[in-house]
Each structure stands twice: as C-alpha cells, then as structure tokens.
Amino acid sequence: MRTLSLTNARRLSIARQGLDGGTRAKPDARAMLDLVRQIGCLQLDPTSAVARSHLLVLWSRLGVFDSADLDHLLWNERHLFEYWAHAASIVLTEDYPIHHHQMRSYRTSTSNWGQRVRKWVEENRVLRDHILSEIRANGPLPSKYFEDKSEADWYSSGWTSRRNVSQMLGYLWDVGEILVATRKSGHRYWDLAERCLPEWTPRDELPTHEVVRLAAQKSLRALGVGTLRQIQQHYTRSRYPGLPQVMAELEREGLVQQVAVVRKGKALTGNWYIHRDDLALLDQIEASEPPPRTTLLSPFDNLICDRARTELLWDFDYRIEIYVPKDKRKYGYFVLPILHGERLIGRIDPLMDRRSKTLHVHNVYAEADAPLNRETGRAVVGAIESLAGFLGAERIAYGENIPKGWKGAFRD
C-alpha cells in the first residue's frame, strides 16, 4: 500500500482544489468552467458581509475576475445551473444525469420527510398548478409574483413555516420541474426546466449504481485523498447508497486504490483512497516542493466545508459564528481562514463597507503553530490586499488585534 505523509496529503488536496502555487490560468469564463469541473460545485450562501461565498471561492483560486463571465456561463451559455450538491450550489450542466437522479428520487422518497412533503403538495394542487401555469405563460418569474393559493399551510420549525409559495417553488425545484432562469438583484427568477437547459444537456436516466460510481469518483478527485465518510460528505453530500460496495468495485477495476496517510509515524484511521488519475500528480508533489501561495478562504469553501476532515488533516477547528450572539463569538461574524502553502495558519474577521469602499479587517488571528515572521505577515497582507482589489475597496482599515510577529508587515 502506498504511503502519503500528512504534508503531501494536504498538498494533493490543495492542488486538486486549485489552491496550490502553480501557474494560474487567465481568470476568464473558460478558467471558471474548468475550475467547477475540477471541484464539482460552488456552494451558494446569501451572506454578503464580504462577498457571496461562491464568488470568494472563485477569487481564492483565480484571483480578481469579472463576475459577468460567471453570469454568462449561468444565464447565457447555460454551462452551469443552480441545484443541490453538498448544499444549494452552482453545478455543471454536463453533470445533469447525476443531479437528475436526485430529482427523480425526491418524487419517490419513502422517508418520513419525503412522504410529508408529497402529502402537503397533494393537498395544495391548486397552488402547484397556479405556479406552473403562470411560469408557463409568463416566466421567468420571481416568487413574489405568485398568489398564495394554498389550502393547507406548511409548518416547520424553521424559516419556511407558512411560506407556502416558497415551499412549493422549492419542491418544484427539487423534483426538477423548474430551475432558476436568472437572478436580478440577488432574487431568483423561475422558469420551466425545459426552457432553462440547453439542447445539448445529457438526459440519460442513469441507474442508482452508475450515479454513485460517477459521483464517488468526482468527490474523491475533488478531495485528492479521502475516506468513505469524507467522500460521502462531499459533492452530492449523503447521496451515495451502497458506497462501500461501489468503492470496492472501483478498486478491483483499478480506478481507485487504497493508501495510508501517515502523521508522525502513525497511519490515520480508516480506509483512505486516491483516484488512479491523480497518481501522477502525487508523484510530482512528492518529487518537489511546490511554491507557497497565500490566500483567504470562504467559510463555505470546498476545501474546508467538511469540518471534521478539516480538523483531522489541518488541525484547524473552524466553526461559523453567524448565528452566535456577538458577545459570545470567539473570532467573528464571517471569518476567513488563511491558507499559506499547505497549512491553515490563521483567520481574519472582515467586513466590506460598500458605501465607503472600505474593507474593515477587525481582527487577525494566528494559529498556535503559525510562522510569526515578517515574510509570512507580508504574504497575509498581500492576500488581504488582493481581496480588497477584488471587492473594489479603496481603503483597508485594520483593527488593533494583529499577531505580534506580523504587525510590522501590516504597517509597511
């Protein structure tokens, strides 16, 4: 069995995520599309304290880019569309057969949740038919366009309770009858899926086993190296029925192989896998030390979205504190981890004031084992300045909390 050091396991993962110090592609639409192919999806989140998460994920890898290129891929060329991956995400149209399997599954789910939703939808056929007929005649349309013609309210313990139109739109999206046709000022405009997807969309209705084979390989390649649980938690999260059997089959076929990840002379627990197509990349990583690169990560970045994996491989305990009362937060509202080479060395607590075009960096934190020298400090400052340029900030305002070894670099 091939053995990887923890350092090289990190480097492989970072390289497969497009976050390494290699040559950067010109940040145009083609580079964006290639990147989504590489990492599988861009998670969506409405928080905009700095920028939308999917834009930060692109910036971390491509540098400053024109968001109009992404809009063109989404709403004009339709190479991308919005659906569920490891959360609500931007996904590849070429991967439609994988996502269409999930759409079909929603219609037939025997889970308590699935049965409850279908019962509610059946009780509200009038609302369903109203939405579809209006979209068919007048779409694309925003949610506020539709009347609430429900006969039974939707109840939940969350924000969707009694939001009947939103709940029905969500169901129709889940099952693939409608898709997001465009966004205006952040609001989704819905249209029939058949009018959103291009003619070249692959529409094969693949059996579950084949979907899991495809999705598991995409997940593993995006991870670089991973366990069964980590594969389950990535890409199409929690949608890998029969994964152990599928991985055994892929291993027999030579498409994946097991490896040992060693830390301080001791192998990490679990069965770790690598894809055959990444063995040459691993050889390169082991043969030479890649140039270090420093950047900042969205809280929902694909590299760290599995918090348990992040803690295991990087010794980095990250918890988002958006919903934590201000006086109880440990680090801040929308904290961005600092990736330096193959290590996560700290985090910043930023807020973008668009009115004054100021990027506020309230706090800068260093991990206990971070290199606290001027050179590393300059690298962190460079990443912050790059973020400011991407955001259109004309000024960066730093707070007083900066690690001692980095302060000189922040004052240069």
Side-chain angles (χ1 to χ4, degrees):
M1 185 181 293
R2 186 164 182 171
T3 298
L4 284 73
S5 68
L6 179 63
T7 295
N8 286 333
R10 290 173 173 175
R11 286 175 177 166
L12 177 60
S13 179
I14 288 166
R16 287 300 305 146
Q17 281 292 314
L19 286 161
D20 58 319
T23 303
R24 312 233 69 74
K26 180 182 177 182
D28 55 15
R30 174 175 290 185
M32 289 181 196
L33 188 58
D34 287 343
L35 179 60
V36 181
R37 286 189 178 116
Q38 184 172 334
I39 67 177
C41 62
L42 299 170
Q43 182 174 334
L44 294 166
D45 186 84
T47 310
S48 58
V50 179
R52 300 295 190 194
S53 178
H54 64 287
L55 299 178
L56 289 173
V57 170
L58 290 172
W59 165 79
S60 294
R61 291 153 174 82
L62 300 176
V64 177
F65 65 91
D66 186 348
S67 60
D69 287 335
L70 179 61
D71 289 340
H72 187 70
L73 290 171
L74 275 163
W75 315 129
N76 298 106
E77 292 188 353
R78 305 283 183 179
H79 281 293
L80 303 170
F81 70 101
E82 294 186 16
Y83 195 63
W84 295 96
H86 53 245
S89 301
I90 294 171
V91 298
L92 290 156
T93 304
E94 63 198 49
D95 287 342
Y96 183 74
I98 293 174
H99 302 296
H100 188 233
H101 180 271
Q102 180 62 18
M103 295 171 184
R104 302 196 313 270
S105 298
Y106 274 124
R107 294 177 181 271
T108 58
S109 173
T110 58
S111 69
N112 291 337
W113 175 263
Q115 293 181 64
R116 181 190 170 206
V117 170
R118 285 202 305 278
K119 180 177 182 294
W120 180 82
V121 170
E122 185 64 26
E123 292 171 342
N124 288 285
R125 276 195 169 197
V126 172
L127 174 59
R128 179 183 182 276
D129 292 346
H130 162 66
I131 289 174
L132 288 175
S133 64
E134 289 295 330
I135 289 176
R136 188 173 291 109
N138 303 303
L141 297 170
S143 60
K144 66 182 180 181
Y145 181 90
F146 306 103
E147 295 179 49
D148 184 353
K149 295 193 174 186
S150 58
E151 297 181 16
D153 284 331
W154 172 260
Y155 288 103
S156 77
S157 58
W159 67 272
T160 60
S161 192
R162 301 190 72 178
R163 297 185 63 170
N164 302 313
V165 170
S166 295
Q167 182 66 22
M168 186 63 74
L169 287 168
Y171 170 79
L172 293 170
W173 181 40
D174 289 343
V175 300
E177 291 194 54
I178 63 174
L179 292 173
V180 181
T182 191
R183 282 182 179 259
K184 298 178 182 178
S185 301
H187 296 290
R188 295 179 290 188
Y189 281 66
W190 301 95
D191 205 348
L192 300 177
E194 63 205 51
R195 298 202 294 230
C196 292
L197 296 168
E199 290 185 6
W200 54 262
T201 304
R203 300 176 188 272
D204 310 287
E205 292 195 5
L206 302 178
T208 299
H209 182 78
E210 183 60 24
V211 168
V212 176
R213 278 179 60 96
L214 292 171
Q217 291 181 79
K218 288 182 70 70
S219 179
L220 178 58
R221 293 215 65 202
L223 292 169
V225 60
T227 64
L228 289 176
R229 182 199 170 281
Q230 291 167 7
I231 293 168
Q232 282 268 16
Q233 289 295 302
H234 208 66
Y235 186 44
T236 53
R237 181 174 290 167
S238 303
R239 304 204 298 266
Y240 297 89
L243 181 62
Q245 293 76 23
V246 166
M247 293 302 292
E249 178 182 291
L250 294 172
E251 190 173 7
R252 288 193 299 271
E253 295 173 12
L255 290 169
V256 305
Q257 71 179 53
Q258 291 194 44
V259 295
V261 178
V262 176
R263 174 180 182 173
K264 297 180 180 179
K266 185 177 180 180
L268 299 182
T269 59
N271 296 327
W272 292 77
Y273 294 87
I274 186 174
H275 198 278
R276 177 185 64 188
D277 292 348
D278 287 328
L279 292 173
L281 175 59
L282 178 59
D283 290 340
Q284 294 173 20
I285 287 170
E286 292 180 335
S288 61
E289 185 171 338
R293 177 171 179 264
T294 305
T295 192
L296 306 168
L297 303 179
S298 160
F300 307 101
D301 193 281
N302 300 43
L303 183 73
I304 60 170
C305 61
D306 182 343
R307 308 303 192 206
R309 171 183 161 89
T310 303
E311 192 164 354
L312 177 66
L313 288 185
W314 280 275
D315 292 321
F316 193 78
D317 180 13
Y318 185 81
R319 300 293 183 271
I320 194 160
E321 298 181 295
I322 289 174
Y323 303 110
V324 176
K326 185 175 182 179
D327 61 340
K328 294 184 179 179
R329 291 175 192 149
K330 184 176 181 180
Y331 295 109
Y333 178 79
F334 195 77
V335 170
L336 309 186
I338 304 168
L339 178 67
H340 178 69
E342 78 279 354
R343 298 170 61 189
L344 291 167
I345 62 168
R347 54 199 98 194
I348 71 167
D349 171 22
L351 176 67
M352 179 61 190
D353 184 339
R354 291 170 180 81
R355 180 171 295 181
S356 66
K357 295 186 177 181
T358 301
L359 176 61
H360 294 273
V361 180
H362 301 303
N363 299 287
V364 179
Y365 303 97
E367 293 295 286
D369 60 347
L372 295 177
N373 53 59
R374 197 181 195 89
E375 180 182 3
T376 305
R378 281 301 309 161
V380 174
V381 170
I384 295 172
E385 290 175 346
S386 175
L387 175 62
F390 172 62
L391 298 174
E394 297 177 354
R395 176 173 173 265
I396 303 173
Y398 291 108
E400 292 299 316
N401 185 27
I402 298 172
K404 185 176 180 180
W406 295 348
K407 276 190 175 181
F410 278 73
R411 292 168 179 164
D412 286 346

